[in-house]
Amino acid sequence: PNRPSTSKRSLSYRVFNCNNSTEKECLKLNLFGAPSDNTKCPKGAILFLYNFESKHFLGPYKAASESRWNINPSAWKGRFKYQVKIKPLRGAHSNTVSIPKSRFDEKLRSNKQPGKGRNNKVPTKLDEEEGWQIMKLAVRMGWKPPQEAVWEELNNNRNGKK
């Protein structure tokens, strides 16, 4: 593929964590949360939800709002106050895919750099190349990209076209 130009608009990719019970609440509320603002994300960011109990990533989702404090103060019994509204990148929650952590890890460049890797930790922020590789993996895992125009816009953003 073509390498992105330096003048491109960059896409933002984030990962939020959950367990089996908080995953259900995330999807029911259309909300992802974190204990602190280290998962800041702009509206429109592409998101994945990592379930550390099942060791699977779920997504892709899109940030329907900027992340901020206490969008829903009662969510998760108040434990995860830094929140972002979400929606599936395409249609309903049934149009997301589950990606095993081992497949996800293969696409993280920083996991392959000795001394600089994230080792077994799941990053909260992916660089653009990692994010694009995960999106391509989601397609191979059965995710159906959104309408052609939206998919084209994602690709154009990646390649610096406006």
Side-chain angles (χ1 to χ4, degrees), residues 125-144:
K125 185 176 183 179
L126 305 175
D127 69 33
E128 187 152 353
E129 184 61 28
E130 290 171 327
W132 188 248
Q133 293 301 319
I134 299 302
M135 293 295 287
K136 291 192 319 188
L137 175 60
V139 170
R140 286 195 300 278
M141 300 284 299
W143 177 67
K144 297 197 178 6

Side-chain angles (χ1 to χ4, degrees), residues 74-140:
S74 63
W76 310 287
K77 299 178 182 168
R79 291 182 303 169
F80 307 108
K81 297 178 183 288
Y82 202 72
Q83 303 168 354
V84 61
K85 291 180 184 179
I86 61 108
K87 62 182 178 182
L89 195 56
R90 178 181 185 266
H93 291 293
S94 60
N95 291 328
T96 60
V97 292
S98 179
I99 303 171
K101 185 178 184 298
S102 59
R103 297 289 306 273
F104 200 93
D105 285 347
E106 292 169 7
K107 301 300 177 189
L108 300 180
R109 293 182 302 158
S110 52
N111 276 349
K112 299 172 187 169
Q113 298 173 2
K116 294 186 177 185
R118 297 176 181 130
N119 301 323
N120 225 6
K121 291 185 178 180
V122 173
T124 57
K125 185 176 183 179
L126 305 175
D127 69 33
E128 187 152 353
E129 184 61 28
E130 290 171 327
W132 188 248
Q133 293 301 319
I134 299 302
M135 293 295 287
K136 291 192 319 188
L137 175 60
V139 170
R140 286 195 300 278

Side-chain angles (χ1 to χ4, degrees), residues 3-98:
R3 297 307 286 164
S5 72
T6 55
S7 64
K8 68 180 172 58
R9 297 179 294 170
S10 66
L11 293 173
S12 184
Y13 298 88
R14 300 290 188 276
V15 175
F16 284 79
N17 293 299
C18 69
N19 61 26
N20 291 333
S21 91
T22 58
E23 177 183 320
K24 291 173 186 165
E25 193 167 356
C26 288
L27 301 180
K28 178 182 172 193
L29 297 173
N30 289 315
L31 195 70
F32 290 173
S36 68
D37 65 355
N38 67 338
T39 315
K40 274 186 181 178
C41 66
K43 183 176 181 177
I46 296 171
L47 310 175
F48 288 87
L49 186 63
Y50 175 62
N51 184 321
F52 55 82
E53 289 179 342
S54 69
K55 300 202 178 341
H56 277 76
F57 289 84
L58 193 60
Y61 291 91
K62 186 174 187 176
S65 70
E66 288 186 0
S67 53
R68 60 182 191 272
W69 291 102
N70 283 326
I71 292 171
N72 181 338
S74 63
W76 310 287
K77 299 178 182 168
R79 291 182 303 169
F80 307 108
K81 297 178 183 288
Y82 202 72
Q83 303 168 354
V84 61
K85 291 180 184 179
I86 61 108
K87 62 182 178 182
L89 195 56
R90 178 181 185 266
H93 291 293
S94 60
N95 291 328
T96 60
V97 292
S98 179

